[in-house]
Amino acid sequence: MAAEEKALQKELIVFEQHKGEWLQNHPGDFVVIADETVAGFYQDYESAFKAGLSRFGIQATFLIKQVWAEEPVYLIH
């Protein structure tokens, strides 16, 4: 598996493992995850991004993902 394919795999697994719980308590919020560490939930992307940088640093890789039951689909024409 290439490095690009491995990037954020742990974070995505953590997200999927907790998604049901988070849908009940944090629907629509943005969660910040690095490795297997959940750094918190935020009402907007900007706040989540700032928190991720503050907690993990600019060189770190972390996931910011909105908690939705189904991923929205965007069409661009």
Side-chain angles (χ1 to χ4, degrees), residues 47-62:
S47 297
F49 184 71
K50 287 179 181 178
L53 288 177
S54 176
R55 175 94 184 256
F56 304 113
I58 197 165
Q59 297 297 322
T61 300
F62 56 90

Side-chain angles (χ1 to χ4, degrees), residues 18-70:
H18 296 281
K19 183 177 174 181
E21 169 192 341
W22 295 344
L23 280 169
Q24 293 177 7
N25 300 317
H26 302 283
D29 287 350
F30 292 84
V31 63
V32 179
I33 308 168
D35 197 32
E36 295 179 1
T37 302
V38 178
F41 297 87
Y42 302 88
Q43 291 186 341
D44 57 70
Y45 182 87
E46 182 179 357
S47 297
F49 184 71
K50 287 179 181 178
L53 288 177
S54 176
R55 175 94 184 256
F56 304 113
I58 197 165
Q59 297 297 322
T61 300
F62 56 90
L63 174 70
I64 300 172
K65 191 159 175 65
Q66 196 165 16
V67 180
W68 289 119
E70 293 185 28

